[in-house]
Amino acid sequence: MNTLSVSYPLSAILLCLLFFGCAPRVDKAIPWPFEEDKFVFIEHRQEEDGRVIEGDYPPGPTIDFPTYMFDPYSGTLASQEFTFDIDDDLKVIYGKSTALRGTAGGGMSSKLNGVYRFPYEDEELVLRGVDEHGNAHIIYRDDQIVIESGDEWEYSTTRRDTIGRVRDRSIAEFTKTIRIINYGMLNKSNIREW
């Protein structure tokens, strides 16, 4: 009776250690395939264009200016400031921007985030990881997408909006486009502040 009471807790402790000690972590289960001086730049752009179809539809809001710029020819990413560490653990820089044009408004706002482990979540987007070819594995609004290095995924919707009555009616059409761009593997030495 005494042996059973001692061995049961010991067995439970050993089982817990085995279970938690061998449980794979996400970043170990999907090893980062690149050198520590490399990163992948993924940009999530939302653009909304508006055009007046009839009447005097009022203009939309004006938003801020961009906080980063990327030159795809040189692979240089520049920003006013980086609010995350650019170190050996940095795997992906995730840029998110919103642009308004025409009747939808004007201007652009943007932000950069550092990704150190997967999965990385941003509202409706989940970055599951990057494979050895530089392809980004993403879930966007329940759709599983693989965006190859140097490629992009695009989704557009169009809607019409009517304001006023028959005599002073105004109609505008708005097109919202979501683009997720995988710029592929880049050198951390090309990250700059302006």
Side-chain angles (χ1 to χ4, degrees), residues 63-76:
I63 57 176
D64 292 337
F65 51 89
T67 59
Y68 69 86
M69 295 177 63
F70 178 69
D71 180 357
Y73 301 105
S74 67
T76 302

Side-chain angles (χ1 to χ4, degrees), residues 27 84-87 89-92 114-118 120:
D27 55 351
F84 51 90
D85 293 330
I86 300 167
D87 57 17
D89 295 325
L90 178 67
K91 293 174 175 45
V92 171
V115 178
Y116 301 90
R117 65 179 55 92
F118 303 112
Y120 173 80

Side-chain angles (χ1 to χ4, degrees), residues 4-193:
L4 181 62
S5 63
V6 171
S7 64
Y8 177 73
L10 183 60
S11 298
I13 291 170
L14 288 174
L15 186 61
C16 287
L17 286 173
L18 180 65
F19 178 76
F20 290 112
C22 296
R25 290 180 28 200
V26 174
D27 55 351
K28 286 192 176 182
I30 306 171
W32 182 244
F34 305 115
E35 300 291 325
E36 293 173 343
D37 62 341
K38 307 291 186 192
F39 76 102
V40 173
F41 180 43
I42 296 173
E43 189 172 30
H44 177 194
R45 293 184 183 178
Q46 179 175 299
E47 301 163 354
E48 187 166 11
D49 292 296
R51 67 183 184 92
V52 176
I53 294 174
E54 181 184 317
D56 294 319
Y57 199 95
T62 300
I63 57 176
D64 292 337
F65 51 89
T67 59
Y68 69 86
M69 295 177 63
F70 178 69
D71 180 357
Y73 301 105
S74 67
T76 302
L77 179 63
S79 180
Q80 293 173 328
E81 71 171 318
F82 292 92
T83 57
F84 51 90
D85 293 330
I86 300 167
D87 57 17
D88 291 346
D89 295 325
L90 178 67
K91 293 174 175 45
V92 171
I93 294 182
Y94 174 75
K96 187 170 183 180
S97 65
T98 300
L100 301 176
R101 293 188 204 76
T103 307
M108 182 178 192
S109 65
S110 61
K111 184 180 181 183
L112 294 173
N113 291 298
V115 178
Y116 301 90
R117 65 179 55 92
F118 303 112
Y120 173 80
E121 295 185 34
D122 177 56
E123 296 179 5
E124 299 174 306
L125 182 143
V126 177
L127 175 58
R128 294 176 54 217
V130 177
D131 64 27
E132 67 272 13
H133 304 291
N135 303 328
H137 296 257
I138 291 172
I139 300 172
Y140 184 72
R141 294 182 179 170
D142 298 326
D143 290 333
Q144 295 198 24
I145 307 162
V146 176
I147 305 173
E148 294 183 5
S149 179
D151 204 357
E152 70 176 70
W153 175 87
E154 184 176 301
Y155 173 78
S156 292
T157 57
T158 300
R159 66 177 175 86
R160 284 194 176 186
D161 189 39
T162 303
I163 58 172
R165 303 205 182 261
V166 176
R167 290 186 184 178
D168 59 348
R169 180 175 69 175
S170 296
I171 302 172
E173 185 174 80
F174 299 93
T175 300
K176 184 182 286 187
T177 303
I178 305 292
R179 295 172 63 207
I180 304 172
I181 307 163
N182 177 2
Y183 290 104
M185 185 176 60
L186 301 165
N187 295 315
K188 290 180 184 174
S189 59
N190 286 341
I191 299 172
R192 310 242 190 283
E193 284 191 11

